[in-house]
Amino acid sequence: SSLRASSLSTDAPFALLFDCDGVIIETEELHRLAYNAAFKEFNLQINNEPVEWTVAYYDVLQNTVGGGKNKMFFHFRNTTGTFPSFEDGKDAPSTPEEEQALVDRLQARKTDMYKELIAEKAKARPGVLELMDEALADENILVGVCSASTKAAVTKVLDVTLGEERRKQLDVTILGDDVSRLKPDPLIYVTAAERLGIDPKRCVVIEDSIVGLKAAKGAGMRCVVTYTTSTENEDFYSLGCDAKVPELGGRGVTLDMIFGPMKDRLDADILADVRDSL
């Protein structure tokens, strides 16, 4: 917990929880490039064809599976139905232990490549820092980041986009390494509420994907979706999304638009004047 937490009013505070990838920063394409770079370096091949994830296929993956290792397992077990040969013609892994070992190595290398890309290309999505700063300045709002990514990857993203000083003010940071089940399982958000000591009904999550929306709603929280080009056609409202907007900045989203109505009634409409129509 941060120094800020000790000075917060415990008189029915609210919490604002941000997903990281796609919400704080437009990262999905950087993830895809890093996976493909790792696949190429490991010379992954299936039927003499290199393993490569297209933009369209990665959109499907990120809207289906949470976490990088899970995406690789899904790809090799569900999409291709077979694991690849690797390095200089090493046979595909033949036991679950060998499969796990290869995926672990790929993920470690991918994370290193991703961090290099982040350092070059990362910047926050419009309106995110403004809303976060408004929340950090409000003694009745707890602020956190909940991401399925690894600690190494997220810490790098947050330091580059938020800055170390802002990151250290966060009241909670829950990462993929911290929970045994990843989104769409609600565990990451349930854990955040427990650590903050707050009723999930008083939490609003900012997400960008169906996987994240399902996790937030499964935890009993309100959810605002800031969609990206890869998720704009998803039917978020049918899955319980409370408001969807293309960007927080583009719609001028403020703290009061989110929490103002909830002060009167926890299930009140939020962002009613700026959200995409239901």
Side-chain angles (χ1 to χ4, degrees), residues 110-144:
K110 176 259 169 181
T111 296
D112 286 341
M113 291 170 147
Y114 175 69
K115 286 194 286 187
E116 291 168 18
L117 286 169
I118 284 291
E120 291 168 28
K121 303 184 178 188
K123 61 180 190 295
R125 285 190 70 186
V128 171
L129 298 184
E130 291 82 355
L131 185 65
M132 188 178 284
D133 285 343
E134 202 185 345
L136 287 168
D138 189 320
E139 62 180 14
N140 289 307
I141 310 281
L142 296 153
V143 187

Short mmCIF file of all heavy atoms in Angstrom, two decimals, residues 110-144:
data_model
loop_
_atom_site.label_atom_id
_atom_site.label_comp_id
_atom_site.label_asym_id
_atom_site.label_seq_id
_atom_site.Cartn_x
_atom_site.Cartn_y
_atom_site.Cartn_z
N LYS A 110 10.02 -12.85 -24.61
CA LYS A 110 9.05 -11.87 -25.11
C LYS A 110 8.97 -10.66 -24.18
O LYS A 110 8.90 -9.52 -24.64
CB LYS A 110 7.67 -12.54 -25.23
CG LYS A 110 6.56 -11.60 -25.64
CD LYS A 110 5.71 -11.17 -24.46
CE LYS A 110 4.79 -10.03 -24.82
NZ LYS A 110 3.96 -9.58 -23.70
N THR A 111 8.99 -10.88 -22.86
CA THR A 111 8.91 -9.77 -21.90
C THR A 111 10.08 -8.82 -22.07
O THR A 111 9.92 -7.61 -22.06
CB THR A 111 8.83 -10.31 -20.46
OG1 THR A 111 7.62 -11.06 -20.31
CG2 THR A 111 8.82 -9.17 -19.45
N ASP A 112 11.28 -9.38 -22.26
CA ASP A 112 12.47 -8.53 -22.47
C ASP A 112 12.31 -7.69 -23.74
O ASP A 112 12.62 -6.49 -23.76
CB ASP A 112 13.73 -9.39 -22.58
CG ASP A 112 14.17 -9.94 -21.23
OD1 ASP A 112 13.73 -9.39 -20.20
OD2 ASP A 112 14.92 -10.93 -21.21
N MET A 113 11.84 -8.33 -24.82
CA MET A 113 11.68 -7.61 -26.08
C MET A 113 10.59 -6.54 -25.97
O MET A 113 10.70 -5.45 -26.52
CB MET A 113 11.35 -8.59 -27.20
CG MET A 113 12.54 -9.50 -27.53
SD MET A 113 12.11 -10.85 -28.63
CE MET A 113 13.64 -11.03 -29.54
N TYR A 114 9.53 -6.88 -25.24
CA TYR A 114 8.43 -5.94 -25.02
C TYR A 114 8.91 -4.70 -24.26
O TYR A 114 8.56 -3.57 -24.60
CB TYR A 114 7.32 -6.66 -24.25
CG TYR A 114 6.16 -5.80 -23.84
CD1 TYR A 114 5.27 -5.28 -24.78
CD2 TYR A 114 5.93 -5.51 -22.50
CE1 TYR A 114 4.20 -4.50 -24.39
CE2 TYR A 114 4.86 -4.74 -22.11
CZ TYR A 114 4.00 -4.24 -23.06
OH TYR A 114 2.93 -3.46 -22.67
N LYS A 115 9.73 -4.92 -23.23
CA LYS A 115 10.24 -3.78 -22.44
C LYS A 115 11.07 -2.84 -23.32
O LYS A 115 11.02 -1.63 -23.15
CB LYS A 115 11.06 -4.29 -21.24
CG LYS A 115 10.18 -4.86 -20.14
CD LYS A 115 10.93 -5.04 -18.83
CE LYS A 115 11.88 -6.19 -18.86
NZ LYS A 115 12.48 -6.46 -17.54
N GLU A 116 11.82 -3.41 -24.26
CA GLU A 116 12.60 -2.57 -25.19
C GLU A 116 11.67 -1.74 -26.06
O GLU A 116 11.90 -0.55 -26.29
CB GLU A 116 13.51 -3.45 -26.06
CG GLU A 116 14.65 -4.11 -25.29
CD GLU A 116 15.36 -5.19 -26.11
OE1 GLU A 116 15.20 -5.20 -27.36
OE2 GLU A 116 16.06 -6.03 -25.51
N LEU A 117 10.59 -2.37 -26.56
CA LEU A 117 9.62 -1.65 -27.40
C LEU A 117 8.92 -0.55 -26.61
O LEU A 117 8.69 0.55 -27.11
CB LEU A 117 8.58 -2.62 -27.96
CG LEU A 117 9.04 -3.55 -29.09
CD1 LEU A 117 8.00 -4.63 -29.34
CD2 LEU A 117 9.29 -2.75 -30.38
N ILE A 118 8.56 -0.86 -25.35
CA ILE A 118 7.88 0.12 -24.50
C ILE A 118 8.75 1.36 -24.30
O ILE A 118 8.27 2.50 -24.39
CB ILE A 118 7.56 -0.50 -23.12
CG1 ILE A 118 6.37 -1.45 -23.24
CG2 ILE A 118 7.26 0.57 -22.07
CD1 ILE A 118 5.05 -0.79 -23.51
N ALA A 119 10.03 1.13 -24.03
CA ALA A 119 10.94 2.26 -23.80
C ALA A 119 10.98 3.17 -25.02
O ALA A 119 11.11 4.39 -24.90
CB ALA A 119 12.33 1.74 -23.46
N GLU A 120 10.83 2.58 -26.22
CA GLU A 120 10.89 3.36 -27.45
C GLU A 120 9.56 4.05 -27.76
O GLU A 120 9.52 5.17 -28.25
CB GLU A 120 11.19 2.44 -28.65
CG GLU A 120 12.57 1.85 -28.70
CD GLU A 120 12.65 0.75 -29.76
OE1 GLU A 120 11.89 0.80 -30.76
OE2 GLU A 120 13.46 -0.17 -29.59
N LYS A 121 8.43 3.35 -27.51
CA LYS A 121 7.17 3.76 -28.13
C LYS A 121 6.01 4.08 -27.18
O LYS A 121 4.95 4.46 -27.64
CB LYS A 121 6.70 2.65 -29.09
CG LYS A 121 7.72 2.30 -30.15
CD LYS A 121 7.20 1.28 -31.13
CE LYS A 121 8.24 0.99 -32.21
NZ LYS A 121 7.74 0.16 -33.28
N ALA A 122 6.19 3.90 -25.88
CA ALA A 122 5.04 3.99 -24.99
C ALA A 122 4.59 5.42 -24.72
O ALA A 122 5.41 6.30 -24.48
CB ALA A 122 5.37 3.32 -23.66
N LYS A 123 3.26 5.65 -24.78
CA LYS A 123 2.69 6.89 -24.27
C LYS A 123 1.27 6.62 -23.80
O LYS A 123 0.59 5.73 -24.31
CB LYS A 123 2.73 8.00 -25.31
CG LYS A 123 1.96 7.74 -26.59
CD LYS A 123 2.11 8.95 -27.51
CE LYS A 123 1.18 8.87 -28.70
NZ LYS A 123 1.46 7.77 -29.62
N ALA A 124 0.82 7.40 -22.82
CA ALA A 124 -0.49 7.16 -22.22
C ALA A 124 -1.61 7.50 -23.19
O ALA A 124 -1.48 8.42 -24.01
CB ALA A 124 -0.64 7.97 -20.94
N ARG A 125 -2.73 6.78 -23.08
CA ARG A 125 -3.92 7.11 -23.89
C ARG A 125 -4.52 8.44 -23.40
O ARG A 125 -4.41 8.78 -22.22
CB ARG A 125 -4.96 5.99 -23.79
CG ARG A 125 -4.61 4.76 -24.58
CD ARG A 125 -5.77 3.77 -24.64
NE ARG A 125 -6.87 4.26 -25.48
CZ ARG A 125 -8.04 3.65 -25.60
NH1 ARG A 125 -8.27 2.53 -24.93
NH2 ARG A 125 -8.97 4.14 -26.38
N PRO A 126 -5.16 9.19 -24.29
CA PRO A 126 -5.69 10.51 -23.93
C PRO A 126 -6.67 10.46 -22.76
O PRO A 126 -7.58 9.63 -22.73
CB PRO A 126 -6.40 10.97 -25.21
CG PRO A 126 -5.73 10.21 -26.31
CD PRO A 126 -5.34 8.89 -25.72
N GLY A 127 -6.45 11.35 -21.79
CA GLY A 127 -7.38 11.52 -20.67
C GLY A 127 -7.10 10.64 -19.47
O GLY A 127 -7.65 10.87 -18.39
N VAL A 128 -6.24 9.63 -19.63
CA VAL A 128 -6.01 8.68 -18.54
C VAL A 128 -5.26 9.33 -17.37
O VAL A 128 -5.67 9.22 -16.21
CB VAL A 128 -5.22 7.45 -19.04
CG1 VAL A 128 -4.79 6.57 -17.88
CG2 VAL A 128 -6.06 6.65 -20.01
N LEU A 129 -4.17 10.02 -17.67
CA LEU A 129 -3.38 10.63 -16.60
C LEU A 129 -4.17 11.71 -15.88
O LEU A 129 -4.07 11.86 -14.66
CB LEU A 129 -2.07 11.20 -17.15
CG LEU A 129 -1.11 10.19 -17.79
CD1 LEU A 129 0.19 10.87 -18.21
CD2 LEU A 129 -0.83 9.02 -16.86
N GLU A 130 -4.99 12.46 -16.65
CA GLU A 130 -5.79 13.52 -16.03
C GLU A 130 -6.80 12.93 -15.04
O GLU A 130 -6.96 13.43 -13.92
CB GLU A 130 -6.53 14.32 -17.12
CG GLU A 130 -5.62 15.16 -18.01
CD GLU A 130 -4.94 14.38 -19.15
OE1 GLU A 130 -5.09 13.13 -19.23
OE2 GLU A 130 -4.27 15.02 -19.97
N LEU A 131 -7.47 11.85 -15.44
CA LEU A 131 -8.45 11.22 -14.55
C LEU A 131 -7.75 10.59 -13.35
O LEU A 131 -8.23 10.70 -12.21
CB LEU A 131 -9.25 10.16 -15.31
CG LEU A 131 -10.39 9.51 -14.53
CD1 LEU A 131 -11.47 10.52 -14.19
CD2 LEU A 131 -10.98 8.32 -15.30
N MET A 132 -6.61 9.96 -13.58
CA MET A 132 -5.87 9.35 -12.48
C MET A 132 -5.40 10.40 -11.49
O MET A 132 -5.51 10.21 -10.25
CB MET A 132 -4.68 8.54 -13.03
CG MET A 132 -3.97 7.72 -11.97
SD MET A 132 -2.61 6.74 -12.65
CE MET A 132 -3.48 5.41 -13.47
N ASP A 133 -4.89 11.53 -11.99
CA ASP A 133 -4.42 12.59 -11.10
C ASP A 133 -5.56 13.18 -10.28
O ASP A 133 -5.41 13.49 -9.09
CB ASP A 133 -3.73 13.70 -11.90
CG ASP A 133 -2.34 13.29 -12.38
OD1 ASP A 133 -1.79 12.31 -11.82
OD2 ASP A 133 -1.81 13.94 -13.30
N GLU A 134 -6.73 13.31 -10.92
CA GLU A 134 -7.91 13.81 -10.22
C GLU A 134 -8.28 12.86 -9.07
O GLU A 134 -8.60 13.29 -7.96
CB GLU A 134 -9.07 13.95 -11.22
CG GLU A 134 -10.14 14.91 -10.80
CD GLU A 134 -11.33 14.94 -11.75
OE1 GLU A 134 -11.22 14.42 -12.89
OE2 GLU A 134 -12.37 15.45 -11.34
N ALA A 135 -8.20 11.56 -9.34
CA ALA A 135 -8.53 10.56 -8.32
C ALA A 135 -7.48 10.52 -7.21
O ALA A 135 -7.80 10.42 -6.02
CB ALA A 135 -8.66 9.18 -8.97
N LEU A 136 -6.21 10.62 -7.59
CA LEU A 136 -5.13 10.61 -6.59
C LEU A 136 -5.22 11.81 -5.65
O LEU A 136 -4.83 11.74 -4.49
CB LEU A 136 -3.76 10.57 -7.27
CG LEU A 136 -3.36 9.24 -7.93
CD1 LEU A 136 -2.14 9.41 -8.81
CD2 LEU A 136 -3.12 8.16 -6.88
N ALA A 137 -5.76 12.92 -6.16
CA ALA A 137 -5.88 14.14 -5.36
C ALA A 137 -7.11 14.13 -4.45
O ALA A 137 -7.26 14.99 -3.59
CB ALA A 137 -5.92 15.36 -6.27
N ASP A 138 -8.00 13.16 -4.65
CA ASP A 138 -9.25 13.09 -3.89
C ASP A 138 -9.10 12.10 -2.75
O ASP A 138 -8.90 10.90 -2.98
CB ASP A 138 -10.39 12.67 -4.82
CG ASP A 138 -11.76 12.78 -4.17
OD1 ASP A 138 -11.88 12.44 -2.96
OD2 ASP A 138 -12.71 13.19 -4.85
N GLU A 139 -9.22 12.56 -1.52
CA GLU A 139 -8.97 11.68 -0.37
C GLU A 139 -10.03 10.58 -0.22
O GLU A 139 -9.85 9.64 0.55
CB GLU A 139 -8.89 12.50 0.92
CG GLU A 139 -10.17 13.24 1.25
CD GLU A 139 -10.07 14.05 2.54
OE1 GLU A 139 -8.94 14.24 3.04
OE2 GLU A 139 -11.12 14.47 3.03
N ASN A 140 -11.14 10.68 -0.94
CA ASN A 140 -12.18 9.66 -0.83
C ASN A 140 -12.12 8.62 -1.94
O ASN A 140 -13.01 7.77 -2.04
CB ASN A 140 -13.56 10.31 -0.82
CG ASN A 140 -13.80 11.05 0.48
OD1 ASN A 140 -13.65 10.48 1.55
ND2 ASN A 140 -14.13 12.33 0.38
N ILE A 141 -11.12 8.70 -2.79
CA ILE A 141 -11.00 7.75 -3.89
C ILE A 141 -9.69 6.98 -3.78
O ILE A 141 -8.62 7.58 -3.78
CB ILE A 141 -11.05 8.46 -5.27
CG1 ILE A 141 -12.24 9.40 -5.38
CG2 ILE A 141 -11.04 7.42 -6.39
CD1 ILE A 141 -13.56 8.76 -5.67
N LEU A 142 -9.79 5.67 -3.68
CA LEU A 142 -8.61 4.81 -3.75
C LEU A 142 -8.32 4.54 -5.23
O LEU A 142 -9.23 4.48 -6.05
CB LEU A 142 -8.88 3.48 -3.04
CG LEU A 142 -9.14 3.59 -1.52
CD1 LEU A 142 -10.01 2.44 -1.05
CD2 LEU A 142 -7.83 3.61 -0.77
N VAL A 143 -7.03 4.38 -5.57
CA VAL A 143 -6.66 4.23 -6.97
C VAL A 143 -5.72 3.02 -7.13
O VAL A 143 -4.79 2.85 -6.34
CB VAL A 143 -5.93 5.49 -7.50
CG1 VAL A 143 -5.70 5.39 -9.01
CG2 VAL A 143 -6.73 6.75 -7.19
N GLY A 144 -6.00 2.19 -8.14
CA GLY A 144 -5.16 1.03 -8.35
C GLY A 144 -5.04 0.63 -9.81
O GLY A 144 -5.77 1.12 -10.67
#
